[in-house]
Each structure stands twice: as C-alpha cells, then as structure tokens.
Amino acid sequence: MLASPMDTPGDGAADGAADADADVCAAVFGHEAADTKAFLIDAARKQLDFLSLVDGRGVELYAPGPALNAALVRYVDIWLPAAARAARAGEGPLGGAPLDVLWVWHCHLLCPTRYRADCAVLLCDDGSRGGGGGGGGGSAGGG
C-alpha cells in the first residue's frame, strides 16, 4: 500500500487526518474508506484500460475526420436518444455501445454542466428531442 504524505512516524495528526478521511468517505459514499479506496483503484484501472483502447485506434477518434464525425452522429442521433428513451421508461443504462460512441460520451462527460443541460433537453417530456434520427443539432461535440 502506498504511504500518504500525511503518514509520518509518531505524528498523531496523521491519524486524525485518516480518521477524518474515513468519516468523509462514509458520509459521501455510504461505506468505509477502505471500500472507497478499492472502488477508486478499480475505477482508475478501468479508465486506463478504456483510454488504452482508444489510444490503440490511433488518432482517428481524437483528430478531426470521418471516423470522429461518424462517432458524433451515432452518439447524438442514435445513442443519446435511445438512452433518453430508456431513462424515461425507467429502464437501466444501455450497454454495448461501440468504442467510438463511448469515446464521444466520455468527452461529453468532461463538461458536466453542458452534459447535464443536454441530457435535460433529451429527457424533456414534450418529445421534441430524443425521438431519434435526423438533424443532428445536438451539442455533444460542440464543447
């Protein structure tokens, strides 16, 4: 296990800080700090695996061009509306999205304010968006 910079021999403050961290983890995540650390380590490994897959595709997914444009269209016009329909129906998240769509989703999530606003539009009850197909018009790739 890696030592924390706070871990110094004979320093009672380090023990207090660790206890405070454990209390925060329990309050925020609803479980003990050890469980949270294991979760975060696992999530970080999965993130590295995902980024390695994307990197293995070369620049086609992160450089302007036909592959990225196709991924944006599939994300905005197919995947997001399908996910919105599933959410409105109370179904779980959609699985099995292709790597290019997952990459665009990942990039969309890097701007959480915009992602939330875009999802709110997709989940609106009037059905003006989220019906699938046509037009593009989404902002997933617009930054």
Side-chain angles (χ1 to χ4, degrees), residues 7 20 24-25 27-28 38 40 60-62 66 74 87 97 99 107 110 120 124 132 136:
D7 294 339
V24 169
C25 287
V28 172
L40 291 174
E60 71 179 29
L61 289 181
Y62 47 88
R74 288 171 13 135
L99 181 63
C107 293
L110 293 176
C124 68

Side-chain angles (χ1 to χ4, degrees), residues 19-98:
D19 290 342
D21 287 348
D23 292 343
V24 169
C25 287
V28 172
F29 297 108
H31 47 79
E32 298 302 317
D35 294 338
T36 301
K37 288 178 184 178
F39 169 78
L40 291 174
I41 289 169
D42 185 52
R45 286 184 178 137
K46 288 177 181 176
Q47 180 70 5
L48 287 173
D49 290 344
F50 171 71
L51 293 174
S52 179
L53 281 173
V54 171
D55 188 52
R57 293 277 297 265
V59 298
E60 71 179 29
L61 289 181
Y62 47 88
L68 182 57
N69 290 342
L72 284 166
V73 168
R74 288 171 13 135
Y75 176 71
V76 171
D77 290 342
I78 299 170
W79 193 81
L80 273 180
R85 285 191 301 275
R88 281 194 300 269
E91 299 171 5
L94 298 175

Side-chain angles (χ1 to χ4, degrees), residues 91-137:
E91 299 171 5
L94 298 175
L99 181 63
D100 62 338
V101 170
L102 290 174
W103 174 245
V104 176
W105 183 36
H106 169 83
C107 293
H108 198 186
L109 287 168
L110 293 176
C111 186
T113 303
R114 187 59 178 255
Y115 180 78
R116 181 177 182 191
D118 291 344
C119 288
V121 169
L122 285 166
L123 292 171
C124 68
D125 291 333
D126 67 5
S128 62
R129 187 86 173 112

